[in-house]
Short mmCIF file of all heavy atoms in Angstrom, two decimals:
data_model
loop_
_atom_site.label_atom_id
_atom_site.label_comp_id
_atom_site.label_asym_id
_atom_site.label_seq_id
_atom_site.Cartn_x
_atom_site.Cartn_y
_atom_site.Cartn_z
N THR Z 3 -39.31 -57.65 -38.11
CA THR Z 3 -38.60 -56.61 -37.35
C THR Z 3 -38.93 -55.23 -37.78
O THR Z 3 -38.37 -54.27 -37.28
CB THR Z 3 -37.06 -56.84 -37.52
OG1 THR Z 3 -36.74 -56.87 -38.87
CG2 THR Z 3 -36.65 -58.18 -36.86
N ASN Z 4 -39.76 -55.12 -38.85
CA ASN Z 4 -40.13 -53.77 -39.37
C ASN Z 4 -41.18 -53.17 -38.37
O ASN Z 4 -42.35 -53.51 -38.40
CB ASN Z 4 -40.72 -53.88 -40.75
CG ASN Z 4 -41.03 -52.52 -41.37
OD1 ASN Z 4 -41.46 -51.69 -40.62
ND2 ASN Z 4 -40.77 -52.43 -42.72
N ASN Z 5 -40.75 -52.23 -37.55
CA ASN Z 5 -41.56 -51.69 -36.51
C ASN Z 5 -42.81 -51.01 -37.06
O ASN Z 5 -43.92 -51.09 -36.52
CB ASN Z 5 -40.82 -50.72 -35.58
CG ASN Z 5 -39.96 -51.56 -34.57
OD1 ASN Z 5 -39.70 -52.78 -34.83
ND2 ASN Z 5 -39.45 -50.87 -33.63
N ALA Z 6 -42.67 -50.25 -38.12
CA ALA Z 6 -43.74 -49.49 -38.74
C ALA Z 6 -44.79 -50.42 -39.25
O ALA Z 6 -46.06 -50.20 -38.97
CB ALA Z 6 -43.27 -48.68 -39.86
N ALA Z 7 -44.43 -51.56 -39.78
CA ALA Z 7 -45.38 -52.51 -40.32
C ALA Z 7 -46.03 -53.22 -39.12
O ALA Z 7 -47.26 -53.51 -39.18
CB ALA Z 7 -44.76 -53.61 -41.34
N LEU Z 8 -45.28 -53.56 -38.15
CA LEU Z 8 -45.82 -54.22 -36.89
C LEU Z 8 -46.84 -53.30 -36.25
O LEU Z 8 -47.86 -53.83 -35.91
CB LEU Z 8 -44.71 -54.50 -35.95
CG LEU Z 8 -43.92 -55.73 -36.17
CD1 LEU Z 8 -42.69 -55.83 -35.37
CD2 LEU Z 8 -44.82 -57.04 -35.89
N MET Z 9 -46.54 -52.01 -36.17
CA MET Z 9 -47.53 -51.11 -35.48
C MET Z 9 -48.83 -50.98 -36.36
O MET Z 9 -49.91 -50.99 -35.73
CB MET Z 9 -46.85 -49.72 -35.37
CG MET Z 9 -45.76 -49.67 -34.24
SD MET Z 9 -46.35 -50.19 -32.52
CE MET Z 9 -47.51 -48.82 -32.17
N ARG Z 10 -48.65 -50.95 -37.56
CA ARG Z 10 -49.82 -50.93 -38.44
C ARG Z 10 -50.73 -52.17 -38.24
O ARG Z 10 -51.89 -52.08 -38.11
CB ARG Z 10 -49.43 -50.80 -39.93
CG ARG Z 10 -50.61 -50.65 -40.91
CD ARG Z 10 -50.15 -50.72 -42.32
NE ARG Z 10 -49.68 -51.95 -42.73
CZ ARG Z 10 -48.37 -52.21 -43.06
NH1 ARG Z 10 -47.56 -51.21 -43.10
NH2 ARG Z 10 -47.92 -53.38 -43.31
N ASP Z 11 -50.07 -53.37 -38.27
CA ASP Z 11 -50.77 -54.56 -38.07
C ASP Z 11 -51.45 -54.60 -36.69
O ASP Z 11 -52.58 -55.07 -36.54
CB ASP Z 11 -49.87 -55.83 -38.27
CG ASP Z 11 -49.40 -55.99 -39.64
OD1 ASP Z 11 -49.99 -55.41 -40.57
OD2 ASP Z 11 -48.42 -56.71 -39.87
N LEU Z 12 -50.72 -54.21 -35.71
CA LEU Z 12 -51.29 -54.08 -34.34
C LEU Z 12 -52.52 -53.29 -34.23
O LEU Z 12 -53.54 -53.65 -33.69
CB LEU Z 12 -50.23 -53.64 -33.28
CG LEU Z 12 -49.07 -54.57 -32.98
CD1 LEU Z 12 -47.99 -53.92 -32.23
CD2 LEU Z 12 -49.60 -55.84 -32.21
N TYR Z 13 -52.46 -52.07 -34.85
CA TYR Z 13 -53.67 -51.16 -34.77
C TYR Z 13 -54.79 -51.81 -35.54
O TYR Z 13 -55.97 -51.74 -35.07
CB TYR Z 13 -53.28 -49.80 -35.44
CG TYR Z 13 -52.64 -48.79 -34.47
CD1 TYR Z 13 -51.31 -48.55 -34.52
CD2 TYR Z 13 -53.43 -48.17 -33.50
CE1 TYR Z 13 -50.75 -47.60 -33.63
CE2 TYR Z 13 -52.88 -47.29 -32.62
CZ TYR Z 13 -51.55 -46.97 -32.69
OH TYR Z 13 -50.98 -46.05 -31.83
N ASN Z 14 -54.53 -52.41 -36.62
CA ASN Z 14 -55.62 -53.02 -37.46
C ASN Z 14 -56.34 -54.17 -36.67
O ASN Z 14 -57.53 -54.29 -36.71
CB ASN Z 14 -55.05 -53.52 -38.78
CG ASN Z 14 -54.76 -52.43 -39.76
OD1 ASN Z 14 -55.29 -51.36 -39.65
ND2 ASN Z 14 -53.87 -52.74 -40.75
N LEU Z 15 -55.51 -54.98 -36.01
CA LEU Z 15 -56.07 -56.03 -35.14
C LEU Z 15 -56.85 -55.59 -33.96
O LEU Z 15 -57.85 -56.13 -33.58
CB LEU Z 15 -54.95 -57.08 -34.79
CG LEU Z 15 -54.29 -57.91 -35.86
CD1 LEU Z 15 -53.07 -58.62 -35.41
CD2 LEU Z 15 -55.35 -58.83 -36.40
N ILE Z 16 -56.29 -54.54 -33.30
CA ILE Z 16 -56.92 -53.96 -32.17
C ILE Z 16 -58.36 -53.43 -32.49
O ILE Z 16 -59.31 -53.51 -31.82
CB ILE Z 16 -56.11 -52.86 -31.54
CG1 ILE Z 16 -54.79 -53.55 -30.89
CG2 ILE Z 16 -56.93 -52.08 -30.47
CD1 ILE Z 16 -53.78 -52.61 -30.46
N LEU Z 17 -58.40 -52.84 -33.73
CA LEU Z 17 -59.65 -52.19 -34.15
C LEU Z 17 -60.58 -53.20 -34.82
O LEU Z 17 -61.78 -52.90 -35.00
CB LEU Z 17 -59.40 -51.05 -35.12
CG LEU Z 17 -58.56 -49.83 -34.54
CD1 LEU Z 17 -58.23 -48.89 -35.71
CD2 LEU Z 17 -59.46 -49.14 -33.45
N ASN Z 18 -60.10 -54.33 -35.12
CA ASN Z 18 -60.89 -55.42 -35.80
C ASN Z 18 -61.97 -55.97 -34.83
O ASN Z 18 -61.63 -56.48 -33.79
CB ASN Z 18 -59.95 -56.60 -36.24
CG ASN Z 18 -60.70 -57.55 -37.14
OD1 ASN Z 18 -61.89 -57.64 -37.07
ND2 ASN Z 18 -59.97 -58.22 -37.98
N PRO Z 19 -63.25 -55.81 -35.16
CA PRO Z 19 -64.29 -56.23 -34.28
C PRO Z 19 -64.32 -57.76 -34.00
O PRO Z 19 -64.87 -58.20 -33.00
CB PRO Z 19 -65.56 -55.84 -35.00
CG PRO Z 19 -65.27 -55.69 -36.40
CD PRO Z 19 -63.82 -55.23 -36.41
N ALA Z 20 -63.59 -58.57 -34.91
CA ALA Z 20 -63.60 -59.99 -34.71
C ALA Z 20 -62.51 -60.41 -33.72
O ALA Z 20 -62.57 -61.56 -33.20
CB ALA Z 20 -63.26 -60.72 -36.07
N THR Z 21 -61.62 -59.50 -33.38
CA THR Z 21 -60.56 -59.88 -32.38
C THR Z 21 -61.19 -60.04 -31.02
O THR Z 21 -62.03 -59.29 -30.56
CB THR Z 21 -59.47 -58.76 -32.27
OG1 THR Z 21 -58.92 -58.58 -33.65
CG2 THR Z 21 -58.42 -59.11 -31.30
N ARG Z 22 -60.88 -61.10 -30.34
CA ARG Z 22 -61.36 -61.40 -29.06
C ARG Z 22 -60.76 -60.41 -28.03
O ARG Z 22 -59.69 -59.91 -28.23
CB ARG Z 22 -60.99 -62.84 -28.52
CG ARG Z 22 -61.62 -63.94 -29.35
CD ARG Z 22 -61.37 -65.28 -28.64
NE ARG Z 22 -61.83 -66.49 -29.41
CZ ARG Z 22 -61.01 -67.27 -30.07
NH1 ARG Z 22 -59.65 -67.02 -30.03
NH2 ARG Z 22 -61.43 -68.31 -30.84
N ASP Z 23 -61.47 -60.26 -26.93
CA ASP Z 23 -61.06 -59.25 -25.94
C ASP Z 23 -59.73 -59.60 -25.35
O ASP Z 23 -58.84 -58.72 -25.18
CB ASP Z 23 -62.09 -59.13 -24.80
CG ASP Z 23 -63.41 -58.51 -25.21
OD1 ASP Z 23 -63.34 -57.79 -26.24
OD2 ASP Z 23 -64.34 -58.61 -24.52
N TRP Z 24 -59.44 -60.86 -25.12
CA TRP Z 24 -58.11 -61.24 -24.44
C TRP Z 24 -56.99 -61.11 -25.45
O TRP Z 24 -55.90 -60.72 -25.11
CB TRP Z 24 -58.17 -62.69 -23.92
CG TRP Z 24 -58.19 -63.78 -24.88
CD1 TRP Z 24 -59.26 -64.37 -25.43
CD2 TRP Z 24 -57.10 -64.38 -25.49
NE1 TRP Z 24 -58.85 -65.34 -26.27
CE2 TRP Z 24 -57.58 -65.36 -26.28
CE3 TRP Z 24 -55.69 -64.26 -25.34
CZ2 TRP Z 24 -56.72 -66.18 -27.14
CZ3 TRP Z 24 -54.85 -65.01 -26.14
CH2 TRP Z 24 -55.36 -65.99 -27.06
N GLU Z 25 -57.26 -61.33 -26.73
CA GLU Z 25 -56.29 -61.17 -27.83
C GLU Z 25 -56.00 -59.62 -27.91
O GLU Z 25 -54.77 -59.24 -28.02
CB GLU Z 25 -56.81 -61.66 -29.19
CG GLU Z 25 -56.93 -63.15 -29.27
CD GLU Z 25 -57.64 -63.57 -30.55
OE1 GLU Z 25 -58.50 -62.83 -31.03
OE2 GLU Z 25 -57.32 -64.65 -31.07
N ARG Z 26 -57.09 -58.81 -27.90
CA ARG Z 26 -56.90 -57.35 -27.96
C ARG Z 26 -56.11 -56.88 -26.79
O ARG Z 26 -55.22 -55.98 -26.95
CB ARG Z 26 -58.28 -56.71 -27.94
CG ARG Z 26 -58.22 -55.13 -28.22
CD ARG Z 26 -59.59 -54.62 -28.46
NE ARG Z 26 -60.24 -54.99 -29.67
CZ ARG Z 26 -61.21 -55.84 -29.74
NH1 ARG Z 26 -61.72 -56.43 -28.73
NH2 ARG Z 26 -61.75 -56.14 -30.89
N HIS Z 27 -56.23 -57.43 -25.64
CA HIS Z 27 -55.54 -56.97 -24.45
C HIS Z 27 -54.07 -57.24 -24.64
O HIS Z 27 -53.27 -56.36 -24.34
CB HIS Z 27 -56.02 -57.78 -23.21
CG HIS Z 27 -55.17 -57.54 -21.93
ND1 HIS Z 27 -55.26 -56.39 -21.23
CD2 HIS Z 27 -54.31 -58.39 -21.28
CE1 HIS Z 27 -54.43 -56.44 -20.23
NE2 HIS Z 27 -53.82 -57.64 -20.24
N LEU Z 28 -53.70 -58.41 -25.16
CA LEU Z 28 -52.25 -58.68 -25.43
C LEU Z 28 -51.71 -57.74 -26.52
O LEU Z 28 -50.52 -57.21 -26.29
CB LEU Z 28 -52.08 -60.13 -25.90
CG LEU Z 28 -52.46 -61.20 -24.88
CD1 LEU Z 28 -52.31 -62.62 -25.55
CD2 LEU Z 28 -51.55 -61.17 -23.68
N LEU Z 29 -52.51 -57.44 -27.47
CA LEU Z 29 -51.96 -56.57 -28.58
C LEU Z 29 -51.85 -55.19 -28.10
O LEU Z 29 -50.77 -54.43 -28.50
CB LEU Z 29 -52.99 -56.60 -29.73
CG LEU Z 29 -53.17 -57.92 -30.45
CD1 LEU Z 29 -54.33 -57.90 -31.35
CD2 LEU Z 29 -51.84 -58.34 -31.23
N VAL Z 30 -52.73 -54.71 -27.21
CA VAL Z 30 -52.64 -53.32 -26.65
C VAL Z 30 -51.41 -53.19 -25.81
O VAL Z 30 -50.66 -52.19 -25.83
CB VAL Z 30 -53.87 -52.94 -25.89
CG1 VAL Z 30 -53.66 -51.60 -25.05
CG2 VAL Z 30 -55.05 -52.82 -26.80
N GLN Z 31 -51.03 -54.22 -25.07
CA GLN Z 31 -49.85 -54.20 -24.27
C GLN Z 31 -48.66 -54.07 -25.12
O GLN Z 31 -47.69 -53.28 -24.68
CB GLN Z 31 -49.72 -55.58 -23.44
CG GLN Z 31 -50.66 -55.66 -22.30
CD GLN Z 31 -50.39 -56.91 -21.50
OE1 GLN Z 31 -50.02 -58.00 -22.02
NE2 GLN Z 31 -50.51 -56.80 -20.24
N VAL Z 32 -48.53 -54.68 -26.26
CA VAL Z 32 -47.44 -54.54 -27.11
C VAL Z 32 -47.43 -53.14 -27.79
O VAL Z 32 -46.38 -52.50 -27.82
CB VAL Z 32 -47.43 -55.62 -28.24
CG1 VAL Z 32 -46.25 -55.44 -29.23
CG2 VAL Z 32 -47.29 -56.95 -27.63
N LYS Z 33 -48.57 -52.67 -28.17
CA LYS Z 33 -48.73 -51.29 -28.84
C LYS Z 33 -48.22 -50.29 -27.84
O LYS Z 33 -47.59 -49.21 -28.30
CB LYS Z 33 -50.10 -51.07 -29.25
CG LYS Z 33 -50.35 -49.66 -29.82
CD LYS Z 33 -51.80 -49.33 -30.05
CE LYS Z 33 -52.58 -49.12 -28.67
NZ LYS Z 33 -52.16 -47.89 -28.07
N ASP Z 34 -48.50 -50.37 -26.50
CA ASP Z 34 -48.21 -49.40 -25.51
C ASP Z 34 -46.69 -49.46 -25.17
O ASP Z 34 -46.18 -48.66 -24.37
CB ASP Z 34 -49.02 -49.56 -24.33
CG ASP Z 34 -50.46 -49.15 -24.59
OD1 ASP Z 34 -50.75 -48.52 -25.59
OD2 ASP Z 34 -51.39 -49.55 -23.79
N ASN Z 35 -45.94 -50.47 -25.66
CA ASN Z 35 -44.55 -50.64 -25.31
C ASN Z 35 -43.70 -50.72 -26.66
O ASN Z 35 -43.07 -51.77 -26.88
CB ASN Z 35 -44.25 -51.84 -24.46
CG ASN Z 35 -44.89 -51.63 -23.06
OD1 ASN Z 35 -44.25 -51.09 -22.24
ND2 ASN Z 35 -46.10 -52.19 -22.91
N PRO Z 36 -43.81 -49.75 -27.52
CA PRO Z 36 -43.20 -49.86 -28.84
C PRO Z 36 -41.63 -50.03 -28.78
O PRO Z 36 -41.02 -50.58 -29.70
CB PRO Z 36 -43.52 -48.54 -29.58
CG PRO Z 36 -43.82 -47.60 -28.49
CD PRO Z 36 -44.49 -48.40 -27.36
N GLN Z 37 -41.03 -49.51 -27.68
CA GLN Z 37 -39.53 -49.64 -27.52
C GLN Z 37 -39.13 -51.11 -27.29
O GLN Z 37 -37.99 -51.47 -27.52
CB GLN Z 37 -39.03 -48.80 -26.39
CG GLN Z 37 -39.41 -49.34 -24.98
CD GLN Z 37 -40.78 -48.87 -24.57
OE1 GLN Z 37 -41.55 -48.39 -25.35
NE2 GLN Z 37 -41.11 -49.10 -23.28
N GLN Z 38 -40.05 -51.97 -27.03
CA GLN Z 38 -39.80 -53.37 -26.83
C GLN Z 38 -40.18 -54.29 -28.05
O GLN Z 38 -40.15 -55.54 -27.87
CB GLN Z 38 -40.49 -53.91 -25.59
CG GLN Z 38 -40.08 -53.20 -24.30
CD GLN Z 38 -40.71 -53.87 -23.07
OE1 GLN Z 38 -40.64 -55.02 -22.91
NE2 GLN Z 38 -41.38 -53.09 -22.28
N LEU Z 39 -40.45 -53.67 -29.19
CA LEU Z 39 -40.79 -54.49 -30.28
C LEU Z 39 -39.58 -55.04 -30.97
O LEU Z 39 -39.05 -54.54 -31.92
CB LEU Z 39 -41.53 -53.61 -31.32
CG LEU Z 39 -42.92 -53.07 -30.99
CD1 LEU Z 39 -43.53 -52.31 -32.11
CD2 LEU Z 39 -43.86 -54.26 -30.58
N SER Z 40 -39.04 -56.06 -30.39
CA SER Z 40 -37.83 -56.71 -30.81
C SER Z 40 -37.99 -58.25 -30.56
O SER Z 40 -38.79 -58.67 -29.74
CB SER Z 40 -36.64 -56.22 -30.03
OG SER Z 40 -36.66 -56.59 -28.68
N PRO Z 41 -37.22 -59.05 -31.26
CA PRO Z 41 -37.25 -60.49 -31.05
C PRO Z 41 -37.02 -60.97 -29.62
O PRO Z 41 -37.50 -62.04 -29.14
CB PRO Z 41 -36.20 -61.09 -31.94
CG PRO Z 41 -36.05 -60.04 -33.06
CD PRO Z 41 -36.26 -58.73 -32.31
N THR Z 42 -36.37 -60.13 -28.82
CA THR Z 42 -36.09 -60.47 -27.48
C THR Z 42 -36.93 -59.70 -26.40
O THR Z 42 -36.84 -59.95 -25.20
CB THR Z 42 -34.62 -60.19 -27.07
OG1 THR Z 42 -34.33 -58.81 -27.38
CG2 THR Z 42 -33.70 -61.11 -28.01
N GLY Z 43 -37.80 -58.83 -26.92
CA GLY Z 43 -38.56 -58.00 -25.98
C GLY Z 43 -40.06 -58.41 -25.90
O GLY Z 43 -40.41 -59.51 -25.91
N GLN Z 44 -40.91 -57.38 -25.94
CA GLN Z 44 -42.35 -57.51 -25.79
C GLN Z 44 -42.86 -58.52 -26.97
O GLN Z 44 -43.76 -59.22 -26.76
CB GLN Z 44 -43.10 -56.20 -25.88
CG GLN Z 44 -44.54 -56.27 -25.52
CD GLN Z 44 -44.75 -56.38 -24.02
OE1 GLN Z 44 -43.84 -56.23 -23.27
NE2 GLN Z 44 -46.01 -56.78 -23.64
N LEU Z 45 -42.22 -58.35 -28.14
CA LEU Z 45 -42.62 -59.21 -29.29
C LEU Z 45 -42.50 -60.70 -28.95
O LEU Z 45 -43.37 -61.47 -29.30
CB LEU Z 45 -41.93 -58.80 -30.49
CG LEU Z 45 -42.50 -59.13 -31.83
CD1 LEU Z 45 -43.91 -58.53 -32.00
CD2 LEU Z 45 -41.61 -58.60 -32.96
N LYS Z 46 -41.33 -61.01 -28.35
CA LYS Z 46 -41.14 -62.47 -27.96
C LYS Z 46 -42.20 -62.89 -26.99
O LYS Z 46 -42.73 -64.05 -27.08
CB LYS Z 46 -39.82 -62.56 -27.43
CG LYS Z 46 -39.27 -64.00 -27.30
CD LYS Z 46 -39.12 -64.63 -28.55
CE LYS Z 46 -38.48 -66.04 -28.43
NZ LYS Z 46 -38.32 -66.75 -29.75
N GLN Z 47 -42.63 -62.03 -26.05
CA GLN Z 47 -43.60 -62.34 -25.08
C GLN Z 47 -44.94 -62.55 -25.70
O GLN Z 47 -45.68 -63.50 -25.38
CB GLN Z 47 -43.70 -61.35 -24.01
CG GLN Z 47 -44.67 -61.65 -22.87
CD GLN Z 47 -44.26 -62.97 -22.07
OE1 GLN Z 47 -43.07 -63.15 -21.72
NE2 GLN Z 47 -45.21 -63.86 -21.95
N LEU Z 48 -45.28 -61.74 -26.66
CA LEU Z 48 -46.54 -61.88 -27.38
C LEU Z 48 -46.61 -63.19 -28.14
O LEU Z 48 -47.61 -63.93 -28.07
CB LEU Z 48 -46.77 -60.74 -28.38
CG LEU Z 48 -47.95 -60.75 -29.20
CD1 LEU Z 48 -49.22 -60.71 -28.42
CD2 LEU Z 48 -47.96 -59.68 -30.27
N GLU Z 49 -45.50 -63.51 -28.80
CA GLU Z 49 -45.48 -64.84 -29.47
C GLU Z 49 -45.71 -65.97 -28.47
O GLU Z 49 -46.46 -66.96 -28.76
CB GLU Z 49 -44.12 -65.01 -30.15
CG GLU Z 49 -43.92 -66.37 -30.87
CD GLU Z 49 -42.45 -66.51 -31.41
OE1 GLU Z 49 -41.78 -65.55 -31.49
OE2 GLU Z 49 -42.10 -67.75 -31.58
N ALA Z 50 -45.11 -65.94 -27.34
CA ALA Z 50 -45.23 -66.97 -26.33
C ALA Z 50 -46.61 -67.02 -25.79
O ALA Z 50 -47.21 -68.08 -25.56
CB ALA Z 50 -44.22 -66.81 -25.16
#
Side-chain angles (χ1 to χ4, degrees):
T3 57
N4 186 322
N5 282 15
L8 277 168
M9 289 301 291
R10 183 188 65 243
D11 290 346
L12 287 171
Y13 273 107
N14 287 339
L15 288 171
I16 290 168
L17 295 174
N18 189 333
T21 301
R22 294 192 188 103
D23 288 342
W24 71 268
E25 292 172 328
R26 186 174 291 107
H27 173 71
L28 294 176
L29 296 167
V30 168
Q31 284 185 324
V32 176
K33 177 187 72 70
D34 291 343
N35 293 275
Q37 71 278 9
Q38 297 187 51
L39 293 182
S40 69
T42 58
Q44 190 77 13
L45 202 56
K46 192 67 174 179
Q47 183 60 49
L48 177 62
E49 178 187 338

